Amino acid sequence: MTALGTAFKYCYYTIGEIFNRPRVLIALLFSFVESLVSASVTLALTTIILHFFRASFWGLFLIGVIMAVFLIALCFIYQLLKARAIYAYTLRDPIAHHKLFPPLAWDVLRYSHKHLLPWSDTFDDGTGWQKGRHLVLPLMVTELEPYERSLERLEELKRSRTLTFNPNKVAIKPLTIVFSLASLLLGIVIGAWLGFSAASGIVVPFIRQIQAAGFALLVFLAISWLPSALSAVKNAFYQTDLLLVEQSVSDQPGLLAHAQKDRAMS
């Protein structure tokens, strides 16, 4: 079985794991609420811009900037969901949950800023994965430590042993990125089309413009949120399994054991 075929198997087992772990479902709920809040803030700012600038050039330009910031906020929510999924996957003591959020959320924000361009590690067929960038977030969450300390722990791990498991053996990240980007682009296109259609006309009342913008944002979330959220959970589980492998906690931990077993049998 190829790396992509193994990724499909891993994703299949991930769906069952989500329903077996209520904390993951709660994390998904939090992520959905945060996405709605971000969309509401975006709509509020759009309303202010339309009130002062209407549909002029500068008004549309500023709305475009606000939408770009909205997408960046969704990237942060994506990484925050990954952190919560890792926390739920490792079955930490619920009493320690207050130590994870909100303090670690600031470190997740820094992590997101440092990992806005994930392509090099994802598609590198050489030894780029041995930098261990894919292990930083699980180290942060499992050890409940800040970003800088997690980088130090990663260096300690690499000094004690050579990283052995190439994440590209199971193509979780490329597979989920394809579906996530496809859903994002589809949501943007359909949302923008329906929004402009709802606000079309020679004279468009102000309230109708706001309703059209809100409708476009809701359509965008309806199309794009679920694939992106599942992508975050799948990558979170996979990165946690890889960390356990590199720490020699288990040769085939968790979901990776099932995917690797199926690959060996094929």
Side-chain angles (χ1 to χ4, degrees):
M1 186 180 294
T2 63
L4 188 60
T6 309
F8 275 109
K9 280 289 185 180
Y10 192 95
C11 292
Y12 167 77
Y13 289 118
T14 299
I15 301 301
E17 193 72 15
I18 290 174
F19 288 100
N20 287 330
R21 296 180 182 272
R23 293 184 191 176
V24 179
L25 294 175
I26 294 174
L28 287 169
L29 177 61
F30 283 164
S31 177
F32 181 70
V33 172
E34 289 163 353
S35 299
L36 282 179
V37 171
S38 299
S40 299
V41 173
T42 301
L43 180 60
L45 295 175
T46 301
T47 302
I48 295 173
I49 292 173
L50 287 175
H51 176 73
F52 287 102
F53 294 92
R54 298 296 177 179
S56 64
F57 169 79
W58 287 110
L60 295 177
F61 174 78
L62 290 176
I63 290 175
V65 172
I66 294 299
M67 294 302 172
V69 174
F70 171 60
L71 292 177
I72 294 175
L74 290 183
C75 291
F76 168 62
I77 294 173
Y78 177 93
Q79 298 295 346
L80 192 57
L81 176 58
K82 282 179 62 177
R84 288 171 174 156
I86 292 171
Y87 186 88
Y89 188 49
T90 52
L91 293 175
R92 299 298 299 265
D93 184 359
I95 298 178
H97 186 272
H98 69 279
K99 298 180 181 178
L100 183 62
F101 299 104
L104 193 59
W106 297 108
D107 289 291
V108 173
L109 179 60
R110 299 186 63 186
Y111 170 85
S112 303
H113 174 68
K114 298 292 184 180
H115 292 73
L116 288 177
L117 298 177
W119 308 101
S120 58
D121 286 350
T122 303
F123 299 101
D124 186 7
D125 294 329
T127 59
W129 60 271
Q130 291 182 342
K131 298 176 183 177
R133 212 171 86 173
H134 56 285
L135 303 176
V136 175
L137 186 61
L139 276 171
M140 286 173 53
V141 178
T142 56
E143 300 297 335
L144 295 179
E145 292 181 337
Y147 178 76
E148 289 80 5
R149 179 55 185 157
S150 299
L151 293 178
E152 294 175 3
R153 281 191 174 273
L154 177 60
E155 293 302 319
E156 293 172 2
L157 178 63
K158 291 193 293 184
R159 284 195 297 267
S160 62
R161 59 174 60 87
T162 303
L163 301 184
T164 58
F165 198 102
N166 186 344
N168 297 320
K169 289 182 180 179
V170 184
I172 298 294
K173 197 167 186 179
L175 177 63
T176 57
I177 281 180
V178 168
F179 284 100
S180 295
L181 290 180
S183 65
L184 285 173
L185 292 176
L186 185 63
I188 291 173
V189 171
I190 295 180
W193 174 60
L194 292 176
F196 279 115
S197 298
S200 61
I202 298 176
V203 179
V204 182
F206 176 72
I207 187 63
R208 185 176 173 183
Q209 295 178 8
I210 303 306
Q211 291 173 345
F215 181 58
L217 287 171
L218 283 178
V219 170
F220 169 76
L221 286 180
I223 295 175
S224 64
W225 179 80
L226 185 59
S228 298
L230 292 179
S231 168
V233 173
K234 293 169 185 176
N235 279 287
F237 287 0
Y238 184 55
Q239 290 179 2
T240 305
D241 283 343
L242 295 183
L243 177 62
L244 295 177
V245 170
E246 302 299 353
Q247 290 177 331
S248 299
V249 174
S250 173
D251 292 333
Q252 289 184 323
L255 302 176
L256 188 58
H258 298 291
Q260 290 292 92
K261 180 180 179 181
D262 292 339
R263 183 175 183 177
M265 293 174 61
S266 60

